[in-house]
Amino acid sequence: MLKSLKISTVDLDIGMYVSGLDRPWLETPFYTQGFLIEGPEDLDRLREYCEFVFVDSYRSRKKAAPLRRSAQNPSEAAPSNKRVKDRPRIPIAHIFAGRELKSYADDSGWEEEHPRAQLAMNTLIGDIDDIFDHVSQGEKLNIVKLRKSVEPVVDSISRNPDACLWVTRLKKHDQYTYQHSLSAAMWSVSLGRQLGLQRHDLRSLAMGCMLMDIGKLRVEPSLLQAERELNNEEAAEVAAHVGHGMEILQECGILNQDVIDMVAHHHERYDGSGYPNGLAGDEIPPFARIASIVDTYDAITSLRAHAKAIAPSEAIKLLYNSRDEDFQAELVEAFIQAIGIYPAGTLVELSSGEVGVVVAEYRTRRLRPKVMVLLDANKNALRQSKLVDLQEGEGKATGSLSIKKSLEPDAYDIDLSRVVF
């Protein structure tokens, strides 16, 4: 008996486990790891997006007998990444063995959380400027101050990640390294929350990301800001920031092994192609695997001296296609669930031609979040921005607004730091 059965969506029933779709997962609002059909809403949504799906008969609660139109050809098995398919799935609890995991629920709405997130980020930005400035002058890293500074941000993301990620996208530091550290920290805590890590672990993730590039303070600035391709000697000097970072941690006497692991191994890759030690798979500490994902995602979606930023949805596709090459598949998929296809702060063009920025509900409604419209269909700035809920009107005969595509962060010269909610 086949494990994966191809079946028309009209023949689906509650209790069946969907393991594959007739289109890429990222083009739908569904989770990338498969899901159990639990009610009529799941059936309606599947029929809206797909003509057929693949059902895992072993994981289904509904018996396979009703699958009258199922495919009987093994060659029609559900499509998937071959590297991921060739190995058994690793439960998140096994990846973080020895750590107690928990479930998070949103404890506040976007409007309620926004002022808290704003205050927390303003404080953190001021403190990190001061901390980094002292280190650049040869003083010891003030780890106690950093730990206290990240606490309000961790609290805010624990309650509801939307507001903090929104504020982070709007805040633009004049130095890329500082901005990158801040943003990567927010992404990492959001991923940690999705994984179910405890609050003290979320704090470690934030601190590790804030510090993983601190060694660049001891690298020649002209190399970091170079708009040309570096030669081998120069590239090696930049890569040495990992060692410099470890020296800074040793000088301040930090004992948190998770933070140390993130600084030491955030450039390692799951297939062993990274640096400085060429570690692979489980040789890379779990928190460092998280760091490598958020480090890469934030870098390629940010404007750098030597590279143009790409749209968040394109970055997600790159990560997804790099599963079990650069990054562990299970963690990439959890990251997608944590931030969605269009994270807060993503510029998007709507089906109407209007342009806006994603504000909230991007995790639970990946393709139909709330969007603040900034430009009209002719790409002229609106006198007054307007908040649109893309889920309103969905399924109506008159049609509804939807996201046509995501845009690069600097599209139409929109300055997100000037956006006022």
Side-chain angles (χ1 to χ4, degrees), residues 334-352:
F335 183 60
I336 295 172
Q337 293 177 22
I339 72 167
I341 307 301
Y342 306 110
T346 301
L347 286 176
V348 294
E349 181 174 336
L350 303 180
S351 54
S352 62

Side-chain angles (χ1 to χ4, degrees), residues 131-309:
I131 292 169
F132 276 36
D133 284 346
H134 280 79
V135 172
S136 66
Q137 295 169 18
E139 299 180 26
K140 287 185 179 180
L141 172 67
N142 190 337
I143 198 66
V144 174
K145 184 174 184 177
L146 178 61
R147 185 185 299 114
K148 290 181 179 178
S149 298
V150 302
E151 292 280 3
V153 170
V154 170
D155 288 342
S156 178
I157 294 178
S158 297
R159 289 188 295 266
N160 186 329
D162 294 4
C164 227
L165 294 184
W166 163 263
V167 173
T168 302
R169 296 290 288 187
L170 266 57
K171 294 289 184 184
K172 294 299 177 185
H173 200 288
D174 57 359
Q175 292 193 42
Y176 168 74
T177 298
Y178 288 22
Q179 177 67 38
H180 178 57
S181 299
L182 288 165
S183 299
M186 302 306 105
W187 299 127
S188 70
V189 177
S190 296
L191 173 51
R193 181 187 191 270
Q194 177 68 33
L195 295 167
L197 294 172
Q198 295 285 336
R199 187 179 174 284
H200 65 273
D201 286 330
L202 300 184
R203 182 181 63 195
S204 294
L205 285 172
M207 292 176 62
C209 281
M210 296 294 294
L211 297 175
M212 64 185 178
D213 280 339
I214 197 168
K216 289 183 177 179
L217 295 176
R218 296 183 178 178
V219 174
E220 175 58 43
S222 63
L223 295 180
L224 301 176
Q225 299 163 9
E227 298 180 3
R228 57 178 175 79
E229 183 177 354
L230 301 179
N231 60 39
N232 291 339
E233 182 179 346
E234 292 170 332
E237 186 173 340
V238 172
H241 78 273
V242 174
H244 297 320
M246 292 300 293
E247 292 171 0
I248 292 172
L249 295 192
Q250 291 168 4
E251 291 165 3
C252 76
I254 190 170
L255 299 176
N256 186 322
Q257 189 59 49
D258 292 326
V259 173
I260 294 171
D261 288 341
M262 293 173 73
V263 174
H265 303 301
H266 64 282
H267 283 295
E268 301 289 358
R269 293 296 179 259
Y270 201 67
D271 62 359
S273 62
Y275 70 88
N277 304 119
L279 303 181
D282 290 345
E283 295 175 337
I284 307 171
F287 276 41
R289 288 177 237 166
I290 290 176
S292 68
I293 292 172
V294 300
D295 177 49
T296 300
Y297 175 80
D298 187 70
I300 61 180
T301 57
S302 301
L303 181 62
R304 294 166 288 168
H306 63 284
K308 192 174 182 180

Side-chain angles (χ1 to χ4, degrees), residues 383-403:
R383 291 185 177 180
Q384 180 72 41
S385 59
K386 60 180 180 179
L387 187 64
V388 175
D389 187 339
L390 297 185
Q391 186 152 293
E392 292 183 359
E394 182 181 8
K396 293 183 179 179
T398 54
S400 61
L401 283 176
S402 61
I403 293 177

